[in-house]
Amino acid sequence: FLITTVRHPLELMKSIYSHGRKGMGNILANNDIRNFNDYVNFQLQGKLNNHLIEKYLFKDMFCNNTIIFDLVFKLENIRDDLTNFFLCFDLDISRINFNISDYDKNKFIHDKFENNYPMNHKKERQELIIQKETKDKIKKHYNFFYDYYEYA
């Protein structure tokens, strides 16, 4: 029985981008990426993170256009998905702590590096400043993934 999770493509790209200059092999600094739109363009052209290419987003989840997993949880719905899974198999769910309401993912964003490069990526992440055109571009590129997992 194979189980995995997926994440909304836009949220995944925002997360990878937010690691900044120190995370993900310094992709921002090494590629002169100055904003999220630059990052998306590099990503969609296949110049970065080769596991996020082609129509599948995660090409290793499929073999000959068939998903290899028996069950896929959406990270955005992980609480409900896990609850249903536990109930279906009559497992004790009382030991799982879903309380992550105090978790602030922005405090894990790297903000110290060698020069005074602006922290636009951190501001974009915290304020969710992402243009509709960029969101549409991501959705169009990963349309198969959006459709397959019923993402809006």
Side-chain angles (χ1 to χ4, degrees):
F1 201 75
L2 294 174
I3 301 173
T4 191
T5 60
V6 295
R7 190 169 184 190
H8 190 287
L10 175 62
E11 295 303 317
L12 178 63
M13 292 181 81
K14 286 180 357 188
S15 179
I16 294 170
Y17 175 74
S18 74
H19 288 284
R21 298 176 66 83
K22 296 284 187 187
M24 299 300 292
N26 280 341
I27 60 172
L28 299 183
N30 292 342
N31 294 284
D32 195 31
I33 296 172
R34 303 206 174 264
N35 56 53
F36 185 71
N37 195 52
D38 286 351
Y39 168 74
V40 168
N41 288 332
F42 269 76
Q43 183 69 64
L44 298 185
Q45 292 168 11
K47 295 180 180 178
L48 304 170
N49 304 319
N50 65 1
H51 64 283
L52 297 178
I53 62 174
E54 302 175 356
K55 65 180 179 179
Y56 297 127
L57 190 64
F58 289 110
K59 63 182 179 180
D60 297 334
M61 292 177 69
F62 295 85
C63 181
N64 297 324
N65 292 327
T66 303
I67 192 161
I68 61 173
F69 292 92
D70 300 301
L71 186 58
V72 178
F73 297 137
K74 288 183 181 177
L75 190 58
E76 300 80 18
N77 300 323
I78 196 70
R79 180 183 300 202
D80 291 341
D81 288 351
L82 281 175
T83 299
N84 290 333
F85 176 78
F86 274 64
L87 291 173
C88 284
F89 290 95
D90 198 27
L91 301 171
D92 181 12
I93 196 166
S94 65
R95 294 182 175 203
I96 295 184
N97 179 5
F98 288 111
N99 186 13
I100 59 171
S101 59
D102 294 330
Y103 175 72
D104 178 10
K105 60 188 170 191
N106 288 311
K107 73 180 180 180
F108 297 103
I109 297 173
H110 296 287
D111 58 2
K112 294 183 180 177
F113 39 84
E114 295 76 31
N115 60 29
N116 292 322
Y117 187 85
M119 294 298 292
N120 292 339
H121 69 283
K122 187 171 184 176
K123 182 178 179 183
E124 283 179 316
R125 169 70 179 269
Q126 290 173 330
E127 297 178 9
L128 300 175
I129 303 170
I130 298 173
Q131 302 166 355
K132 181 182 182 324
E133 177 184 318
T134 301
K135 291 178 185 179
D136 291 346
K137 189 185 305 184
I138 293 168
K139 184 173 183 178
K140 181 179 179 184
H141 188 83
Y142 295 119
N143 191 52
F144 173 87
F145 194 84
Y146 275 81
D147 288 347
Y148 192 89
Y149 293 108
E150 299 175 350
Y151 280 113

